[in-house]
Amino acid sequence: SIYSLKGRRGGKPLAVCLGDVERLYRYCQVNVPDELLQDLLPGPVTLVLKRSEELNKDLNPFTSLVGVRIPNHPFVRELARACSGPLALTSANISCQASSLTVLEFQDLWPRLSLIIDGGPTGDVQSPECRLGSTVVDLSVSGKFSIIRPGCALTPTVEILTQKYGLAPVSP
């Protein structure tokens, strides 16, 4: 129903949202130091890792990878903590449009939704960078990384991965 609601193409995977880094180990095969996870999360970064058997097989059945977000937003994290499993996650907008930062910005979708909760802005509404979405980085290959989407945190993410942890970018 998320794909239909957003007009999203079927082969584009959905990420999952968790409330805490510790929960990531249940749903992913983690091949990076815990300190690296703690340096990037919570924050505006989506980490792509190999999925574990614990993750619902109906979520992105066409890939062995999964994107994981732990947003730095108190309401979203509390909501994720209250759920027994991960939440499917996507921006609140029609696919390929700018990301919404407030509930009023996606009111054209309201009639098609079962529930709308206003947990406050998810970013600085005056900042164009906040509308770029999270930086999506693939960490599924040990010792390497690739940027899938530059997003709003590209520079600090790449600095952490290369300078602090010595990971090498995968050549395109």
Side-chain angles (χ1 to χ4, degrees):
S1 62
I2 291 173
Y3 286 90
S4 173
L5 177 77
K6 289 181 55 81
R8 187 180 179 109
R9 59 183 170 80
K12 188 174 180 183
L14 293 173
V16 296
C17 175
L18 300 172
D20 298 292
V21 172
E22 297 75 33
R23 293 188 68 198
L24 191 137
Y25 291 91
R26 180 174 177 188
Y27 302 105
C28 301
Q29 297 173 26
V30 180
N31 60 347
V32 296
D34 186 66
E35 294 77 21
L36 184 152
L37 300 177
Q38 300 289 342
D39 281 345
L40 296 176
L41 303 171
V45 180
T46 299
L47 300 182
V48 176
L49 298 161
K50 289 193 169 115
R51 63 191 289 148
S52 78
E53 292 296 316
E54 284 285 318
L55 198 60
N56 184 325
K57 289 168 185 32
D58 292 331
L59 177 77
N60 308 327
F62 45 82
T63 180
S64 61
L65 305 176
V66 64
V68 180
R69 279 283 325 262
I70 302 173
N72 192 13
H73 189 279
F75 174 79
V76 177
R77 290 187 66 201
E78 282 301 316
L79 178 64
R81 286 180 186 127
C83 297
S84 60
L87 299 171
L89 179 75
T90 182
S91 53
N93 60 347
I94 301 296
S95 214
C96 298
Q97 292 183 356
S99 294
S100 300
L101 300 176
T102 70
V103 295
L104 291 176
E105 292 177 352
F106 64 89
Q107 60 185 308
D108 54 327
L109 295 177
W110 290 5
R112 299 171 61 194
L113 301 174
S114 302
L115 176 68
I116 298 122
I117 301 172
D118 188 349
T122 58
D124 178 359
V125 295
Q126 303 302 316
S127 169
E129 290 81 26
C130 282
R131 297 195 185 275
L132 296 175
S134 65
T135 295
V136 181
V137 58
D138 185 335
L139 295 175
S140 63
V141 177
S142 290
K144 300 194 180 297
F145 74 93
S146 63
I147 300 297
I148 296 172
R149 179 176 72 193
C152 64
L154 179 62
T155 301
T157 300
V158 170
E159 285 175 3
I160 288 169
L161 295 173
T162 58
Q163 295 174 16
K164 187 168 182 182
Y165 294 96
L167 273 62
V170 174
S171 301

